[in-house]
């Protein structure tokens, strides 16, 4: 005896098309940003971005430099949200310690560290360029 396939997917978003899908996806994205705001690290990075992104327009000498400076800040925020998503999914599975859960969380944390190092390197190089090569 075979089980008939479900008539509709569990996620209603899968049935949406066109602008209706985009509209709902945007709503989910806003909810994700709100959830991220409750995380201390994301909130700190978002507040830093309020200073650094406008500063990128002053520090950058071309649109490429501005894009690298501002983009590196936004990448840190993106990676932080992804890391929080990983941590949240792992925590949903259960509070007990497991080597694979630790590995997933450590890798998410490492991704944030690499994004921060990339951002810091780009900013240090741009500031050094401004100071030493006027």
């Amino acid at each position: 005896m075979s089980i008939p396939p479900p008539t509709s997917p569990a996620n209603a978003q899968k049935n949406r098309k066109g602008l209706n899908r985009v509209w709902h996806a945007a709503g989910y994205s806003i909810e994700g940003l709100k959830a991220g705001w409750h995380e201390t690290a994301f909130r700190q990075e978002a507040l830093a971005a309020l200073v650094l992104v406008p500063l990128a327009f002053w520090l950058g000498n071309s649109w490429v430099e501005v894009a690298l400076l501002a983009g590196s800040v936004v990448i840190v925020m993106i990676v932080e949200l992804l890391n929080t998503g990983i941590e949240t999914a792992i925590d949903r599975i259960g509070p007990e310690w497991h080597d694979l859960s630790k590995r997933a969380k450590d890798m998410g944390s490492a991704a944030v560290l690499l994004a921060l190092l990339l951002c810091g390197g780009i900013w240090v190089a741009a500031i050094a360029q401004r100071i030493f090569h006027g």
Side-chain angles (χ1 to χ4, degrees), residues 9-80:
N11 183 350
Q13 179 70 357
K14 302 293 182 190
N15 286 332
R16 294 188 178 105
K17 304 287 185 224
L19 289 177
N20 188 32
R21 182 180 180 92
V22 172
W23 177 257
H24 282 86
Y28 299 143
S29 298
I30 297 297
E31 289 302 313
L33 289 170
K34 287 179 185 177
W37 187 254
H38 294 291
E39 296 292 322
T40 302
F42 180 78
R43 199 168 42 250
Q44 291 169 339
E45 292 157 358
L47 292 173
L50 290 176
V51 174
L52 293 175
V53 170
L55 189 59
F57 286 89
W58 173 79
L59 185 59
N61 290 321
S62 69
W63 73 267
V64 173
E65 290 179 9
V66 171
L68 283 170
L69 289 163
S72 68
V73 172
V74 174
I75 284 172
V76 170
M77 295 171 62
I78 292 167
V79 175
E80 187 65 56

Side-chain angles (χ1 to χ4, degrees), residues 61-128:
N61 290 321
S62 69
W63 73 267
V64 173
E65 290 179 9
V66 171
L68 283 170
L69 289 163
S72 68
V73 172
V74 174
I75 284 172
V76 170
M77 295 171 62
I78 292 167
V79 175
E80 187 65 56
L81 286 171
L82 293 171
N83 180 46
T84 300
I86 291 168
E87 290 180 350
T88 302
I90 295 298
D91 290 345
R92 184 193 183 280
I93 293 169
E96 66 279 352
W97 186 92
H98 191 281
D99 187 51
L100 292 176
S101 296
K102 179 184 183 318
R103 178 190 266 180
K105 287 185 171 190
D106 288 350
M107 291 168 78
S109 181
V112 173
L113 174 64
L114 292 175
L116 286 167
L117 290 173
L118 173 66
C119 182
I122 290 169
W123 278 83
V124 166
I127 291 168

